[in-house]
């Protein structure tokens, strides 16, 4: 337990994303909770393989969960300051599945937007779809991040703490301008911030 808290502090100082910190901490609690009679330095690769079979595969967890667990453990044992018996690099990742995403047709998107009466909700759905924004990006998007002349949005500190630029189509520009006219003093585009 103390090791997980110390590792959490390490991740915070290394500026890991909040979701990663939460996910890794939760997964490490699950893993070490399964072996509550052993300390982290006493666990072996065989223990990890046993955990993988009994607690991930036999319980029907996804490949994604299995990869995330292994990532959390690899990062933890790379950081872990004491000698240990875990040879985590000997364990291979499960290959990712290669499924194609389900994409709405242009007509389906138009019908969805037409069915939304609330202008703010329409803007939110249109921005998510048209600009390919993540929900977290839209929540933090400020009016000042929209460059109307260049027809682009500056997304700040997105996934992986990276900035990126997103082009805006004409119809999207018009929708944003109409939305800003109805609420001229807002700092964030889609959501009111307190």
């Amino acid at each position: 337990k103390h090791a997980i808290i110390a590792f959490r502090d390490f991740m915070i100082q290394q500026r890991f994303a909040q979701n990663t910190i939460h996910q890794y901490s939760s997964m490490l609690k699950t893993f070490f909770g399964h072996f509550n009679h052993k300390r982290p330095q006493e666990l072996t690769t065989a223990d990890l393989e046993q955990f993988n079979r009994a607690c991930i595969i036999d319980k029907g967890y996804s490949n994604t969960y299995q990869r995330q667990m292994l990532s959390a453990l690899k990062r933890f044992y790379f950081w872990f300051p004491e000698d240990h018996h875990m040879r985590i690099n000997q364990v291979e990742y499960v290959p990712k599945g290669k499924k194609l995403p389900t994409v709405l047709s242009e007509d389906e998107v138009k019908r969805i937007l037409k069915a939304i009466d609330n202008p703010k909700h329409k803007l939110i759905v249109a921005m998510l779809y048209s600009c390919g924004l993540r929900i977290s990006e839209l929540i933090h998007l400020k009016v000042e991040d929209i460059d109307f002349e260049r027809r682009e949005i500056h997304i700040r500190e997105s996934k992986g703490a990276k900035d990126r630029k997103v082009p805006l189509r004409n119809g999207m520009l018009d929708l944003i301008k109409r939305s800003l006219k109805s609420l001229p003093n807002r700092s964030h585009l889609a959501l009111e911030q307190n």
Side-chain angles (χ1 to χ4, degrees):
K1 187 173 181 177
H2 297 293
I4 295 173
I5 293 168
F7 180 62
R8 185 179 180 86
D9 289 342
F10 164 78
M11 290 190 289
I12 291 168
Q13 290 189 25
Q14 293 296 309
R15 298 188 178 265
F16 280 50
Q18 282 294 345
N19 286 343
T20 303
I21 293 169
H22 175 74
Q23 192 75 25
Y24 280 13
S25 299
S26 174
M27 290 185 151
L28 292 171
K29 285 178 191 172
T30 300
F31 179 75
F32 293 124
H34 181 76
F35 298 103
N36 60 6
H37 59 284
K38 287 185 176 183
R39 296 178 303 161
Q41 58 268 35
E42 297 170 340
L43 292 168
T44 66
T45 309
D47 291 321
L48 173 57
E49 290 169 352
Q50 181 272 327
F51 174 84
N52 187 45
R53 275 189 306 279
C55 298
I56 296 178
I57 295 171
D58 291 351
K59 290 186 178 180
Y61 284 102
S62 68
N63 290 355
T64 301
Y65 180 85
Q66 187 175 357
R67 278 193 313 279
Q68 288 173 337
M69 178 66 76
L70 187 55
S71 292
L73 289 165
K74 279 188 174 190
R75 183 64 81 156
F76 175 82
Y77 276 106
F78 178 76
W79 162 86
F80 193 62
E82 298 181 34
D83 288 339
H84 57 83
H85 305 289
M86 185 68 70
R87 301 295 165 243
I88 201 101
N89 289 333
Q90 294 175 358
V91 181
E92 292 189 32
Y93 282 100
V94 178
K96 271 187 176 181
K98 303 234 187 237
K99 294 181 182 177
L100 291 175
T102 302
V103 179
L104 298 173
S105 71
E106 193 172 329
D107 188 50
E108 289 171 316
V109 173
K110 286 178 182 176
R111 285 198 318 256
I112 290 170
L113 290 172
K114 192 174 183 179
I116 301 171
D117 294 326
N118 183 307
K120 185 172 85 169
H121 296 165
K122 186 175 286 208
L123 175 66
I124 289 170
V125 172
M127 293 286 293
L128 290 172
Y129 185 79
S130 174
C131 300
L133 299 182
R134 296 176 179 92
I135 293 172
S136 62
E137 293 171 341
L138 183 60
I139 289 170
H140 295 103
L141 183 63
K142 294 181 178 180
V143 174
E144 66 192 43
D145 295 330
I146 301 168
D147 188 334
F148 290 97
E149 287 183 28
R150 291 185 178 158
R151 298 177 177 209
E152 64 184 17
I153 300 172
H154 184 176
I155 306 297
R156 299 179 191 280
E157 294 191 34
S158 183
K159 189 173 182 178
K162 296 174 186 166
D163 288 3
R164 65 187 180 111
K165 302 266 184 176
V166 176
L168 280 172
R169 295 165 72 177
N170 286 337
M172 203 61 243
L173 277 171
D174 294 339
L175 188 59
I176 292 169
K177 287 176 182 175
R178 282 196 308 270
S179 175
L180 291 175
K181 281 181 185 175
S182 67
L183 291 166
N185 294 326
R186 68 167 111 167
S187 63
H188 288 74
L189 183 66
L191 303 173
E192 292 85 23
Q193 300 287 321
N194 295 334

